[in-house]
Amino acid sequence: MWMRTTEQVHRFPPFPAPPDGAEIVPLSAFVPVGYRWETTPSGETIEVDAWAGIPTVKVLNEEESAKKRKAKRRRRNAGNAFDAEGKLIPWWEEWEEGEDARTMNETSFHSRMDFEDRVCLAADDFRVGRTWPEIAQGVRYLWDQFRLYIGLISSIPIYKKVKKQRGQVDGPNNGDNASEEEDDVPKATQTKIAIIQDYLEPSALPGKQLEPSPDGSMVEGQRLRAFVDDMENSVKVFLSSYMRDKGLIWTEKNLFIAPTFLHFFLRFMLRNNVFSDSKEHLENLERALTIADVARKELPLTAKHGQILPGQFDLGCKECWGVQGSLSVQISATVSPPVVDDTSKTPPASDTSDTFETELKEHDIEVVPSDVVLDSVTARQVMEDNLNTDSQTPVTKVPVAGDPWMAAISAEEYTTASWTDVAVPFLMPLLGPSMFPLTMTTGIVEFSTRRIREVIPLGCHANEDRVCTSVVEEVLANQFFKVVLSPWVGSMAEETADFPRPVIVPGSRGAISPEAMPDGFIDDDVQDPWNPYRDDVTILVDGAEAAEQLVVGMGLCGTWVQIVPDGEDKRHPRTCYWYIESLVASFPSYYTEGEMIGDVQDEDDDED
């Protein structure tokens, strides 16, 4: 046991002698003199100690301290900083500023280290080595979706702030009691303190497992090996069919977030030489980075296409000639026909919509056609049925200024004008007093997925075979952009779940190849009938802005209607213009269907 001895005890006084030339002022003789303001040679006025002439350290008041704490919290999340002009810096620009300086804990990898382990380390360092946007922006969620997809985690985590532990010294991992210049950051396994910037760490939900099995025998290990073996294909699938299957594409901001953080992550692995000793993996990583860069441009455009197409010209043609395709045609392209039992005495329904309406009528549900506009009498009856005017249920009236609904109900004017009075598109604003509606008609109507092959500017023809036989066609060629669409599906053997075979709408006018429509009309005089697996479609697009957003290589799924001069039914559709009646989906050029290894589900998909 340690014992105190006289040799180990140091007592004061006596104090050491003061240095030569120095004088120690006793506390009883000390007289404070305060501070004074001095002007530096540069003209700046500073506060100095009046006795020693040394600049003082400013002590913040309560308001200044609160402002500094608020600024500190803002620094913890990317996308909250402002530039010199006061503009908010987006999180991806903030990442880009210091991206080249972000490194990994491992400066070099041993040749015997598994590639899967290298990706795990890279993903961990990528996360903790940067500040992230606020959780509500969805960047962390999409990053976790990618980690779940490639097998780095087993479930979507939640993030929490790390609290200071007992005995922990001041440093980056301190928590609320850290110094003002430091952020609270989580402890990262095998990660250098110097690179840590993220102040949150993931944890599993109750009853969930966050980290996969370390032996790699589980499905997560198979996913990770699949990613390492072909990173290019994994990135393609994630940024296309995976996001579509998970419903991530329906939030427009995800279309930019997903390829952007993948762009940074793939660059991070490339810059830190994760696969430096494998030329094959290095080249594959570079191709994956190229796909991410393409996705940053094309994936957000898939939402823009739904906003600009069909255009005004397309809607005007639809208003002029009516609906040529139908929902039942689109359903037939994606749903396999039911198996018919020959022994059954009841004949099957001839149309999908008829079967659907029959089932509804069996449950006493009336089907109102969508093209029937409610008149005022019908609207009054519907309003009275839903409001149940015979009952004595008290209704609390909340007046809302300028509310047309409340005004109509108060005045008992049950009319549909406020919700059915929509703008009807016309061709007059685009074509003027033209003979177009009188000299042109519709021909073949096709529902299919096609790839943008070429965008042709105003005044140019799509191909040498096209000959404008009328002044009207010449006006169309000079006034609209032309977009050439090639078949995405080249044969019935190429049909997939996301890309069904082309469907020719019954009643289409024109000679059609038996390969596409076995029961269609065949004209012996036509040597080269229309073949949707081979022939191109040229649609008309109004507006340079819309044409710029139609990128070559991207895919469009919709109903295409041929515009043919009246009386020229035998004219080949390849030499005619088409318009878009409806657009169902848009696809990036790299779209890839991939089978998921195991059942990739997050906590929202699980059932208790």
Side-chain angles (χ1 to χ4, degrees):
M1 185 175 182
W2 181 82
M3 299 293 293
R4 171 185 280 183
T5 63
T6 55
E7 291 77 15
Q8 294 173 318
V9 176
H10 301 279
R11 295 180 178 276
F12 300 96
F15 290 94
D20 296 337
E23 181 182 358
I24 305 299
V25 179
L27 181 61
S28 58
F30 175 75
V31 178
V33 294
Y35 62 89
R36 66 174 183 269
W37 295 93
E38 291 185 354
T39 302
T40 64
S42 61
E44 181 183 3
T45 301
I46 61 174
E47 180 186 87
V48 299
D49 181 76
W51 182 78
I54 302 175
T56 60
V57 177
K58 182 180 180 181
V59 178
L60 301 180
N61 57 34
E62 184 177 353
E63 181 180 356
E64 292 172 332
S65 299
K67 185 177 180 180
K68 187 172 183 179
R69 286 193 299 268
K70 183 178 180 180
K72 174 189 172 184
R73 288 193 297 268
R74 294 180 65 90
R75 290 198 306 270
R76 292 175 178 174
N77 293 304
N80 289 335
F82 294 89
D83 60 11
E85 299 178 357
K87 296 181 180 179
L88 191 66
I89 303 176
W91 61 269
W92 59 90
E93 293 184 6
E94 188 172 331
W95 279 13
E96 189 65 46
E97 288 180 1
E99 189 62 26
D100 292 338
R102 293 189 175 97
T103 60
M104 291 183 57
N105 182 45
E106 295 285 344
T107 56
S108 61
F109 295 96
H110 196 279
S111 60
R112 289 178 293 180
M113 179 181 288
D114 293 338
F115 290 140
E116 291 84 353
D117 294 338
R118 302 183 187 186
V119 174
C120 292
L121 293 176
D124 192 27
D125 290 349
F126 175 81
R127 178 185 64 82
V128 301
R130 67 193 63 237
T131 56
W132 288 75
E134 296 177 353
I135 293 179
Q137 296 192 28
V139 182
R140 285 187 188 269
Y141 177 74
L142 284 175
W143 163 248
D144 291 331
Q145 280 285 350
F146 175 73
R147 293 200 297 160
L148 181 68
Y149 167 71
I150 65 174
L152 292 177
I153 55 178
S154 301
S155 64
I156 297 296
I158 57 174
Y159 286 88
K160 61 182 181 180
K161 181 179 177 182
V162 179
K163 299 298 182 181
K164 183 178 180 181
Q165 300 177 359
R166 177 180 294 181
Q168 186 177 1
V169 298
D170 290 343
N173 293 335
N174 282 359
D176 292 334
N177 297 327
S179 63
E180 292 293 337
E181 300 300 325
E182 295 176 340
D183 284 337
D184 306 329
V185 292
K187 296 173 292 183
T189 305
Q190 299 178 349
T191 303
K192 291 184 296 186
I193 292 295
I195 72 171
I196 299 180
Q197 297 184 36
D198 189 15
Y199 73 103
L200 298 177
E201 69 175 0
S203 61
L205 287 168
K208 298 284 186 177
Q209 179 182 345
L210 181 60
E211 300 295 337
S213 175
D215 58 3
S217 59
M218 303 297 290
V219 66
E220 290 84 0
Q222 301 176 28
R223 294 175 195 155
L224 185 54
R225 283 191 293 271
F227 172 75
V228 171
D229 293 341
D230 196 346
M231 289 171 282
E232 178 188 12
N233 183 74
S234 295
V235 170
K236 286 182 178 179
V237 174
F238 177 78
L239 293 176
S240 55
S241 59
Y242 179 86
M243 292 187 63
R244 177 175 291 271
D245 293 341
K246 291 299 176 181
L248 300 175
I249 65 171
W250 308 121
T251 302
E252 189 171 351
K253 65 179 182 179
N254 292 348
L255 303 178
F256 173 78
I257 292 175
T260 300
F261 78 71
L262 272 180
H263 164 82
F264 282 99
F265 176 61
L266 298 175
R267 281 175 53 196
F268 182 81
M269 290 200 299
L270 191 64
R271 184 175 62 254
N272 287 278
N273 301 317
V274 176
F275 301 106
S276 59
D277 54 345
S278 175
K279 182 180 180 181
E280 178 182 358
H281 287 82
L282 185 60
E283 293 176 350
N284 192 274
L285 176 60
E286 292 174 346
R287 292 195 298 269
L289 178 58
T290 301
I291 295 299
D293 291 338
V294 173
R296 295 183 73 184
K297 176 182 179 182
E298 294 185 358
L299 204 55
L301 289 179
T302 58
K304 297 295 183 182
H305 292 166
Q307 300 168 7
I308 64 176
L309 298 176
Q312 291 300 314
F313 175 75
D314 304 311
L315 297 175
C317 291
K318 182 179 179 180
E319 181 69 23
C320 178
W321 290 309
V323 178
Q324 302 298 313
S326 63
L327 180 61
S328 60
V329 174
Q330 301 175 11
I331 294 176
S332 64
T334 56
V335 179
S336 302
V339 179
V340 180
D341 186 3
D342 296 337
T343 61
S344 176
K345 297 181 180 180
T346 304
S350 58
D351 188 83
T352 306
S353 60
D354 294 340
T355 305
F356 180 66
E357 292 181 9
T358 302
E359 294 178 356
L360 292 179
K361 290 179 180 179
E362 292 177 355
H363 293 80
D364 299 328
I365 300 176
E366 181 182 0
V367 179
V368 180
S370 59
D371 56 350
V372 176
V373 180
L374 296 176
D375 56 19
S376 59
V377 178
T378 307
R380 182 185 181 92
Q381 181 180 357
V382 171
M383 293 284 287
E384 291 178 350
D385 291 342
N386 285 275
L387 292 176
N388 193 13
T389 56
D390 295 334
S391 64
Q392 301 300 322
T393 305
V395 178
T396 303
K397 296 183 179 180
V398 181
V400 180
D403 187 352
W405 291 84
M406 294 300 299
I409 294 176
S410 301
E412 296 187 355
E413 298 176 355
Y414 303 137
T415 174
T416 60
S418 60
W419 48 280
T420 59
D421 187 13
V422 296
V424 179
F426 291 103
L427 293 171
M428 179 71 71
L430 295 174
L431 301 178
S434 172
M435 296 294 293
F436 174 80
L438 303 177
T439 59
M440 311 295 284
T441 185
T442 60
I444 295 176
V445 182
E446 173 191 321
F447 175 79
S448 63
T449 302
R450 290 181 167 270
R451 190 186 298 271
I452 301 174
R453 184 173 67 86
E454 185 180 5
V455 179
I456 303 172
L458 304 177
C460 300
H461 295 292
N463 54 53
E464 298 178 356
D465 298 334
R466 186 179 309 281
V467 178
C468 295
T469 60
S470 64
V471 178
V472 173
E473 289 185 285
E474 190 68 33
V475 172
L476 296 177
N478 294 328
Q479 191 164 344
F480 296 97
F481 288 84
K482 277 75 63 180
V483 180
V484 182
L485 305 177
S486 299
W488 190 294
V489 179
S491 64
M492 295 186 66
E494 298 180 12
E495 180 182 8
T496 62
D498 291 342
F499 302 108
R501 57 181 173 81
V503 176
I504 304 299
V505 177
S508 297
R509 291 185 290 270
I512 303 170
S513 172
E515 182 182 358
M517 195 173 184
D519 299 332
F521 172 73
I522 303 299
D523 192 340
D524 296 334
D525 296 335
V526 179
Q527 301 297 328
D528 187 18
W530 171 256
N531 190 336
Y533 292 111
R534 184 185 66 246
D535 294 324
D536 293 341
V537 163
T538 303
I539 61 174
L540 299 173
V541 176
D542 49 283
E545 182 180 357
E548 291 176 356
Q549 297 182 3
L550 297 174
V551 177
V552 174
M554 297 187 65
L556 299 174
C557 177
T559 302
W560 327 104
V561 182
Q562 176 196 5
I563 305 174
V564 59
D566 197 5
E568 299 186 20
D569 295 342
K570 294 185 178 181
R571 181 172 172 179
H572 200 285
R574 192 187 303 116
T575 63
C576 297
Y577 292 121
W578 298 60
Y579 70 88
I580 307 174
E581 182 177 281
S582 63
L583 186 70
V584 176
S586 176
F587 302 96
S589 60
Y590 58 85
Y591 192 95
T592 305
E593 296 179 72
E595 296 182 0
M596 307 302 174
I597 301 177
D599 189 13
V600 183
Q601 294 187 355
D602 54 32
E603 65 274 7
D604 296 333
D605 298 333
D606 296 337
E607 296 181 1
D608 295 333

